Amino acid sequence: MAGEVPNLEASKLTALVVDDNFVNQSVHHKLLDRLGIKNDVVSNGQEAVDVHCSGRNYDLILMDMDMPIMNGIQATRRLREMGIESKIAGVTTRAEEEEVKEFMEAGLNDFQEKPLTISKLVSILHNLELYVQT
Amino acid sequence: MQRQVALIKQSLFDQGYLDEQFMELEELQDDVNPNFVEEVATLYFKDSARLINSIDQALERGSFDFNRLDNYMHQFKGSSSSIGASKVKTECTMFREYCRVGNAEGCLMTFQQVKKEHATLRKKLEHYFQLARQAGPKETARRSK
């Protein structure tokens, strides 16, 4: 792991993990926890939409691509249609140019290839200007 | 005892069973979750057993729905990658290649390798975690929060 791990608890950032894989849910939740980012976890795009319909909002959404019921591309499009302006980072093992392009065009702000690590997560936060080192 | 645990862990990396992602998970262990890696590993083996069962049943039926098989293996590969299960991940990739070209025999052959590597890793990690627990908190909890 590179560098010092920032503690962003003071920033009160919140995040939503959207992934159908239990292992990834656990890892991504813990990664965010480690950075002091309070986070919720849902299992597919439909649940991500539903949680926003219930009035919840997040600074960052980590969106998997392949999920049952509603995939990441569909969910990202739907959230943007709903006017959700949260930063959405696509996190997936699929890295073919065409697939990434389609995912980005759905409304992502950033993209990272799995597996997610602390340094990749910090990179997402930097790219999305959610973390600026002082 | 702790030295023995360290040596066993090193051999898992040296023999290619685990990659740097496993170390990333270890870095996440703290006083709140001193057994985080073992918990994630348990989740992984439970989830992957389910996927193995699904693929087994699909292959036994004899009808090779390569799309469906590939979807199962995509999930399996994803989990394996997240935990740092390097050899399992490699075999998953091979299987997906055979799915891509519609090679049923290749799928059958590679799936045996997937199961073999999966079973070997499970056994080795169970042994490692058992020893790590006996060795005490120094090896499991890496940091204080």
Side-chain angles (χ1 to χ4, degrees):
Chain A
M1 276 181 28
E4 210 173 286
V5 176
N7 190 324
L8 300 169
E9 201 151 353
S11 65
K12 306 284 185 221
L13 285 176
T14 60
L16 178 68
V17 174
V18 189
D19 202 310
D20 62 323
N21 182 291
F22 296 134
V23 174
N24 292 333
Q25 283 180 1
S26 184
V27 173
H28 296 177
H29 171 72
K30 189 65 182 173
L31 282 170
L32 289 161
D33 249 6
R34 171 51 53 85
L35 294 181
I37 299 174
K38 281 197 183 308
N39 63 98
D40 293 332
V41 178
V42 293
S43 300
N44 59 63
Q46 185 61 60
E47 288 183 11
V49 168
D50 291 345
V51 88
H52 281 87
C53 286
S54 73
R56 303 288 289 269
N57 226 310
Y58 303 89
D59 299 297
L60 171 68
I61 300 171
L62 294 180
M63 184 75 78
D64 182 27
M65 190 156 102
D66 292 301
M67 294 178 288
I69 303 172
M70 187 187 283
N71 67 33
I73 293 174
Q74 295 164 332
T76 303
R77 252 187 228 126
R78 185 78 190 97
L79 289 170
R80 292 307 189 207
E81 283 167 7
M82 288 163 60
I84 300 299
E85 293 179 346
S86 308
K87 305 289 189 185
I88 306 178
V91 187
T92 176
T93 50
R94 294 204 190 270
E96 297 289 323
E97 206 176 309
E98 279 303 311
E99 290 167 327
V100 175
K101 185 166 175 272
E102 191 187 359
F103 205 179
M104 290 296 298
E105 283 174 355
L108 295 183
N109 300 101
D110 197 12
F111 173 89
Q112 273 288 352
E113 212 178 319
K114 281 181 190 171
L116 209 56
T117 61
I118 281 281
S119 34
K120 284 184 184 179
L121 186 51
V122 171
S123 172
I124 288 173
L125 295 170
H126 270 300
N127 291 346
L128 302 182
E129 293 176 356
L130 289 170
Y131 164 58
V132 178
Q133 193 162 13
T134 53
Chain B
M1 174 70 95
Q2 281 164 5
R3 180 164 158 74
Q4 193 185 359
V5 170
L7 284 171
I8 288 170
K9 186 170 76 172
Q10 189 56 49
S11 77
L12 289 172
F13 285 102
D14 292 343
Q15 290 171 52
Y17 288 104
L18 297 175
D19 62 31
E20 62 276 1
Q21 182 64 16
F22 190 84
M23 291 194 286
E24 290 281 341
L25 298 186
E26 286 195 311
E27 288 294 320
L28 296 176
Q29 293 194 138
D30 52 31
D31 291 342
V32 177
N33 291 120
N35 302 313
F36 176 68
V37 183
E38 188 175 356
E39 286 165 13
V40 173
T42 304
L43 252 179
Y44 167 70
F45 285 114
K46 188 176 170 186
D47 194 48
S48 52
R50 178 186 61 81
L51 288 166
I52 284 174
N53 196 41
S54 297
I55 296 171
D56 253 330
Q57 285 181 7
L59 291 174
E60 269 169 27
R61 277 197 290 269
S63 57
F64 283 81
D65 183 344
F66 291 109
N67 229 20
R68 174 179 271 203
L69 288 171
D70 184 62
N71 280 339
Y72 283 137
M73 198 50 83
H74 170 73
Q75 291 179 56
F76 197 159
K77 185 185 165 186
S79 293
S80 302
S81 175
S82 290
I83 196 180
S86 184
K87 284 194 180 190
V88 178
K89 188 176 79 173
T90 301
E91 296 301 333
C92 290
T93 303
M94 290 286 299
F95 184 95
R96 295 192 70 200
E97 273 306 304
Y98 282 118
C99 282
R100 198 176 61 81
V101 299
N103 184 332
E105 204 176 305
C107 283
L108 283 167
M109 182 187 68
T110 326
F111 188 53
Q112 295 313 309
Q113 283 301 112
V114 168
K115 288 199 285 187
K116 178 174 163 262
E117 292 299 344
H118 180 263
T120 303
L121 179 66
R122 182 174 200 151
K123 202 170 164 187
K124 287 184 182 288
L125 278 181
E126 276 172 358
H127 176 58
Y128 167 69
F129 287 129
Q130 187 181 26
L131 279 180
R133 267 184 265 119
Q134 286 168 17
K138 193 178 174 184
E139 274 303 317
T140 51
R142 288 290 305 267
R143 59 174 72 225
S144 297
K145 231 184 170 178

